């Protein structure tokens, strides 16, 4: 399994870094990227529609988990490649950074293959503990230390609520295994209603814990502060791999052990989706920091993804997977660009720093224009198709009001994304940004731009893979 390989690799790299000490950060970073590539190679031959359970049904391998793991590995590798330049330029080259990213990826992969509440919790904690440290990685920076502390305290609270929910589910159902809980709810019996009422409380608390991890409203408060305070390379990771993993777990937990409670959790998710889309859209309008703007934007994107989850259908899950795939490249591209924005050697991250960028640096301005148009959902960029599949799945499930609210909030969100374009192309230019984009990072950004701009030309591989993945979860292939 790729998880075993990565854990062994992580321990080996930790030892190598500890013995090499100085000047080991670059080598460990490259070796970690190589480990992610090897894990993808291990994963590829096992991509089959057969569903396999392991470790006494604690762990499951299906197309759904394989699909999400590919996204996690790709996101983690791209983050490390872009962050390499930041580690060197800002003199924070420490070998612990890539190793922590590796362990966060392993935790996320364990989460998406969990077939038991305890496995889920172990994966969640492994990922979270690495992320807490990464948020405060630039320890000489007060904002980074504050972000790490804030994320740790609120994250621990959310984990506690989730664990309490899991204990309630176990108390009422007698099992923590997803398959056993699902069989209990589908079985007929007079005691089923009483069990369901008790387990609903546990399910709600588990949902609260997962809502915190994906920054869904009303558990989003940490997001703008932690995104702004953490190093941009870490923010790029927060916005992709762990969030994709948490949303995948959200889908699995609701559609497997609690599938019979669809009417109960569907209403909760609809309210959460509406609040997330609204807060994300209106909260971003007042921001002057690009990182805070994107933090609120990410809350809105989670709202759109929850619309697909709320549909409770195979088409809804398929739409969420497509959306997450496209969002991965948009987020990596945008945060990667911000990470490399410098003026006179100093990193800048205010909207006003982009004034007149199109007149002084045309190609970077064009790159950011593509990303902003796609984030806003303007055709023919990939963001448009992601939202289209999401709203179509809601309409097919009869959630017309939710789809209409989603379209309206998309229009509001377009305002602040287009505001960035207006600043770049129509405001008076400031001093030009530095020509500071390392070749490898430029290649990664170019790949993100090509996927975002040209997805509509050949969407078949993503659509087919997402269909298989959604079918393996709902159909239990």
């Amino acid at each position: 399994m790729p998880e075993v390989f990565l854990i062994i690799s992580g321990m080996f790299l930790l030892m190598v870094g500890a013995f090499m000490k100085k000047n080991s950060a670059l080598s460990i970073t490259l070796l970690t990227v190589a480990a992610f590539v090897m894990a993808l190679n291990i994963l590829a031959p096992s991509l089959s529609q057969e569903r396999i359970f392991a470790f006494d049904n604690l762990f499951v391998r299906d197309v759904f988990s394989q699909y999400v793991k590919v996204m996690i590995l790709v996101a983690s590798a791209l983050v490390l490649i872009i962050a390499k330049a930041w580690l060197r330029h800002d003199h924070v080259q420490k070998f612990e950074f890539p190793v922590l990213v590796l362990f966060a990826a392993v935790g996320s992969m364990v989460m998406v293959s969990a077939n038991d509440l305890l496995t889920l919790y172990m994966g969640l904690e492994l990922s979270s503990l690495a992320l807490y440290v990464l948020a405060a990685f630039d320890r000489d920076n007060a904002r980074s230390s504050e972000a790490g502390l804030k994320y740790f305290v609120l994250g621990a609270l959310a984990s506690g609520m989730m664990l309490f929910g899991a204990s309630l589910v176990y108390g009422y159902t007698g099992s923590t295994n997803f398959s056993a809980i699902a069989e209990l709810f589908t079985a007929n019996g007079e005691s089923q209603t009483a069990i369901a009422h008790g387990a609903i409380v546990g399910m709600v608390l588990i949902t609260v814990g997962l809502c915190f991890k994906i920054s869904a409203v009303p558990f989003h408060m940490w997001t703008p502060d932690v995104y702004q305070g953490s190093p941009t390379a870490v923010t790029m990771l927060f916005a992709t791999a762990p969030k994709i993993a948490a949303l995948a777990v959200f889908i699995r937990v609701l559609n497997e052990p609690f599938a019979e409670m669809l009417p109960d959790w569907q209403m909760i998710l609809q309210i959460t989706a509406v609040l997330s889309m609204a807060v994300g859209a209106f909260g971003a309008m007042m921001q002057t920091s690009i990182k805070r703007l994107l933090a609120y934007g990410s809350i809105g994107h989670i709202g759109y993804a929850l619309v697909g989850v709320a549909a409770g259908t195979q088409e809804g899950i398929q739409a969420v997977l497509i959306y997450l795939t496209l969002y991965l490249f948009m987020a990596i591209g945008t945060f990667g660009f911000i990470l490399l924005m410098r003026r006179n050697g100093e990193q800048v991250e205010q909207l006003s720093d982009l004034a007149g960028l199109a007149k002084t640096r045309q190609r970077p301005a064009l790159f950011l224009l593509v990303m902003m148009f796609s984030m806003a959902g303007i055709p023919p960029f990939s963001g448009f198709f992601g939202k289209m599949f999401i709203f179509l799945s809601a309409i097919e499930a009869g959630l017309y009001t939710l789809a209409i609210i989603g379209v309206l909030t998309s229009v509001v969100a377009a305002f602040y994304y287009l505001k960035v374009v207006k600043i770049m192309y129509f405001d008076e230019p400031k001093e030009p940004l530095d020509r500071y984009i390392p070749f490898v990072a430029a290649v990664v950004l170019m790949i993100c731009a090509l996927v975002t701009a040209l997805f509509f030309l050949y969407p078949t591989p993503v659509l087919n893979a997402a269909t298989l993945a959604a079918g393996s979860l709902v159909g239990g292939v």
Side-chain angles (χ1 to χ4, degrees):
M1 290 190 300
E3 291 88 348
V4 175
F5 169 76
L6 286 176
I7 288 173
I8 295 172
S9 300
M11 295 173 69
F12 172 73
L13 293 173
L14 202 58
M15 294 294 291
V16 171
F19 281 106
M20 286 179 66
K21 294 184 180 177
K22 291 183 179 178
N23 304 321
S24 61
L26 178 60
S27 306
I28 301 293
T29 302
L30 294 176
L31 288 172
T32 307
V33 173
F36 285 138
V37 174
M38 284 296 296
L40 278 171
N41 286 332
I42 296 171
L43 199 60
S46 62
L47 286 174
S48 69
Q49 297 185 37
E50 186 182 5
R51 204 169 206 219
I52 298 174
F53 294 93
F55 302 113
D56 198 21
N57 284 339
L58 292 174
F59 200 85
V60 62
R61 193 200 74 183
D62 52 14
V63 182
F64 177 78
S65 65
Q66 307 295 80
Y67 185 98
V68 179
K69 285 177 189 177
V70 169
M71 284 197 282
I72 292 169
L73 289 171
V74 170
S76 302
L78 294 182
V79 166
L80 280 183
I81 291 171
I82 296 180
K84 187 167 68 68
W86 164 74
L87 288 167
R88 185 178 65 252
H89 193 277
D90 286 12
H91 307 293
V92 285
Q93 292 193 79
K94 297 174 183 172
F95 73 88
E96 292 90 345
F97 183 84
V99 176
L100 285 168
V101 172
L102 186 148
F103 281 120
V106 174
S108 298
M109 292 168 72
V110 171
M111 284 167 60
V112 298
S113 270
N115 192 47
D116 192 283
L117 289 171
L118 294 181
T119 313
L120 166 61
Y121 188 74
M122 288 177 64
L124 182 71
E125 285 304 291
L126 176 59
S127 174
S128 297
L129 288 173
L131 294 175
Y132 297 150
V133 181
L134 283 171
F137 194 76
D138 190 6
R139 60 185 182 186
D140 294 331
N141 186 325
R143 286 197 314 177
S144 179
S145 301
E146 180 188 346
L149 182 61
K150 193 174 289 185
Y151 189 40
F152 171 71
V153 172
L154 294 176
L157 179 65
S159 294
M161 294 181 74
M162 187 175 168
L163 195 59
F164 183 49
S167 67
L168 280 177
V169 170
Y170 174 70
Y172 279 96
T173 63
S175 177
T176 55
N177 188 270
F178 291 173
S179 305
I181 295 171
E183 288 175 8
L184 183 69
F185 286 130
T186 52
N188 295 319
E190 294 181 358
S191 60
Q192 183 183 355
T193 304
I195 292 172
H197 286 167
I200 282 176
V201 180
M203 181 196 71
V204 170
L205 290 173
I206 293 172
T207 305
V208 167
L210 291 174
C211 279
F212 174 87
K213 297 299 178 186
I214 61 173
S215 311
V217 177
F219 307 100
H220 67 289
M221 298 78 72
W222 62 276
T223 311
D225 292 342
V226 173
Y227 270 43
Q228 186 179 24
S230 302
T232 306
V234 178
T235 309
M236 182 165 43
L237 180 68
F238 283 164
T240 52
K243 193 164 282 190
I244 289 170
L247 199 54
V249 170
F250 216 119
I251 293 171
R252 186 184 291 282
V253 168
L254 294 179
N255 286 278
E256 286 194 338
F258 301 113
E260 295 298 317
M261 294 181 177
L262 174 64
D264 298 303
W265 57 256
Q266 191 176 46
M267 181 56 68
I268 297 172
L269 282 196
Q270 288 187 62
I271 295 170
T272 305
V274 169
L275 291 175
S276 299
M277 290 187 291
V279 169
F282 290 102
M285 294 176 73
M286 307 302 292
Q287 304 304 319
T288 57
S289 163
I290 303 174
K291 288 173 73 175
R292 288 187 73 87
L293 183 148
L294 292 177
Y296 278 102
S298 73
I299 294 169
H301 285 294
I302 283 298
Y304 300 127
L306 287 178
V307 171
V309 182
T313 60
Q314 182 176 334
E315 289 74 19
I317 297 171
Q318 177 193 356
V320 175
L321 292 175
I322 295 170
Y323 191 84
L324 291 177
T325 306
L326 302 176
Y327 175 72
L328 185 156
F329 290 98
M330 289 189 287
I332 292 284
T334 308
F335 279 106
F337 180 84
I338 296 169
L339 180 65
L340 300 172
M341 271 176 49
R342 292 179 185 276
R343 179 170 287 133
N344 300 322
E346 297 296 325
Q347 192 168 354
V348 293
E349 54 186 47
Q350 294 296 313
L351 280 174
S352 58
D353 293 317
L354 295 170
L357 183 65
K359 299 182 180 69
T360 56
R361 300 287 307 279
Q362 292 184 353
R363 279 183 291 185
L366 181 62
F367 170 84
L368 199 54
L369 177 142
V370 170
M371 291 299 160
M372 291 299 105
F373 273 18
S374 185
M375 289 270 194
I378 294 173
F381 299 103
S382 63
F384 167 77
F385 294 99
K387 288 181 180 177
M388 183 186 75
F389 285 116
I390 288 285
F391 297 145
L392 284 178
S393 70
I395 291 170
E396 287 173 1
L399 305 177
Y400 301 109
T401 306
L402 194 58
I404 292 171
I405 293 174
V407 172
L408 293 176
T409 52
S410 291
V411 174
V412 177
F415 167 79
Y416 58 83
Y417 287 125
L418 295 180
K419 180 182 171 185
V420 176
V421 177
K422 173 255 175 190
I423 291 172
M424 289 193 300
Y425 279 84
F426 297 103
D427 283 9
E428 285 300 317
K430 282 190 170 184
E431 185 181 350
L433 295 177
D434 296 347
R435 294 185 180 277
Y436 167 73
I437 300 182
F439 175 74
V440 179
V443 170
V444 172
L445 295 182
M446 184 60 68
I447 292 171
C448 293
L450 290 175
V451 172
T452 303
L454 303 179
F455 169 76
F456 72 97
L457 292 178
Y458 191 50
T460 308
V462 175
L463 301 186
N464 289 344
T467 304
L468 279 175
S472 74
L473 188 71
V474 176
V477 178

